Amino acid sequence: MINITHNKTDIINNIKLLLYKENLSLLEKVDFDDDTIFLEPLLFAYFNSKKDNLFTTYMLIEIMQGYFLKQEPLLLHESFNNDGFAYIPNLGYYDKANNKVEEILKIDTFEILKELHPVLERYFKEYYKGHIVNPKPEYHSVWKDNYQELEKAIAIVKEHLPLFYEELVFANKKIYLHDNPKILNFASIETLGMLYFYVLGNQNLIYYIEELIHQGSHNHLYYVVHDRKEYFKIDVDNIIMRDLTKQDWDYRTVYGAFHGLYTVTRRVECFDILLSKKVFSGAEKHELLGRMTDMFPRFQTGLELLNLEEVYTEKGKEFYFELTQKCQSILKKYEKLTNEFDLSHRNLDFRYNEFCLTNSFEDFVKKDHEGYYNL
């Protein structure tokens, strides 16, 4: 149904065209046939910043210089972030004296970003229910204390969810870990290929797995629905859900709500596989079951109220029904969890330490020993 390889090629060609228009000489200095260059998330962020005139053309050169076929003297003018470090893709991290202070860190095919690049900083805001509550929050990179557990999560996804892992690798390139939980985890089409996670504590294996699936699927869907007109009859990027559903609380765009359906379905699918394969036990199984239960209130939160004929093309309807039916059928297997677990602790995000306050781990262990949770 979906030719995402064609869509990826279209996106790559768009970036090449933008580079051609802005600085032709840069295309002559890199391997034009190396697609990874033109899927660099910083390029998406740079070209999306043009409308606000945030950077000069020097920034584009600084981003691209790590991909040059012949090394040139390092250019560092605009690449220093708020903490005084410059990240140059493919090369590393530099201080203001042009000394390299950190090497690139890769886990399998993913790069763990040690410092945020200036073109990404403007996406860091504290949101609450669709409203910006802090446009310039404080946050710090926490890669050093957390990348090894993230590495375990990636390895588990690769081993036990191989089909999803192909999608994850297809659409995602880099991950940034920071310490501000009010900056909710996100992916953005404007920084395509980037994942941003906040980190709390040091027991985050199941959390990382969920967020790799959740945020990674956002980036995958950007490729799938590259051409909105294939799937939607209306301007889903700008029409707000409450204007169609009359649900005053729903501040999302129709496109944002569709992303919600897609990412919930992908999590439900993957959680079901992990639970069916009995990958986890003890606290990790307790947490995973809690996160599965958390999918029930996140499923069908408004899209079912829309007039399908007005919103979707035939291809869009087919995709919508495929997702809803798949999600519904899997959730039915886990229906008894909704009476078993208390989710009153949750505000926006599921947090296992808070879940344990209303859902005794000791009680879970007893029931699990009796096979109650072998669903």
Side-chain angles (χ1 to χ4, degrees), residues 39 68 81 87 98 162 165 179 187 192 195 197 214-215 218 227 242 262 280 282 296-297 300 309 316 320 335 356-357:
L39 292 171
F68 289 173
N81 66 11
Y87 162 62
N98 279 29
Y165 191 74
D179 61 358
L192 187 61
L195 301 174
F197 303 162
H214 180 186
Q215 306 306 332
H218 278 301
D227 182 358
R242 61 176 162 232
Y262 183 77
F280 301 106
F296 280 87
Q300 291 192 324
E309 299 302 326
Y320 170 75
E335 210 159 21
C356 288
L357 298 176

Side-chain angles (χ1 to χ4, degrees), residues 319-362:
F319 194 22
Y320 170 75
F321 284 127
E322 177 192 332
L323 293 172
T324 54
Q325 289 165 7
K326 190 179 291 181
C327 196
Q328 229 162 11
S329 65
I330 297 172
L331 285 177
K332 195 169 184 181
K333 286 172 58 178
Y334 297 89
E335 210 159 21
K336 75 175 183 179
L337 296 180
T338 59
N339 295 319
E340 182 69 17
F341 292 131
D342 178 0
L343 295 180
S344 61
H345 70 286
R346 179 170 69 76
N347 184 359
L348 295 175
D349 287 345
F350 180 100
R351 292 180 184 166
Y352 181 57
N353 63 325
E354 295 174 358
F355 175 77
C356 288
L357 298 176
T358 55
N359 299 279
S360 165
F361 175 62
E362 290 72 21

Side-chain angles (χ1 to χ4, degrees), residues 25 36 44 46 51 55 73 88 156 181 185 234 241 246 249 262 268 278 308-309 311 327 333 359 363 368:
S25 67
T36 60
F44 292 100
Y46 171 78
K51 58 185 178 292
F55 308 101
I88 304 299
I156 288 169
N185 293 344
I234 63 174
M241 283 289 288
K246 309 309 176 188
W249 65 271
Y262 183 77
V268 166
K278 297 181 170 58
L308 300 185
E309 299 302 326
V311 174
C327 196
K333 286 172 58 178
N359 299 279
D363 290 348
D368 193 38

Side-chain angles (χ1 to χ4, degrees), residues 63-79:
I63 291 170
M64 291 291 287
Q65 62 190 329
Y67 296 108
F68 289 173
L69 292 170
K70 293 181 181 178
Q71 191 172 355
E72 297 184 4
L74 199 61
L75 184 65
L76 296 176
H77 292 299
E78 298 189 30
S79 295

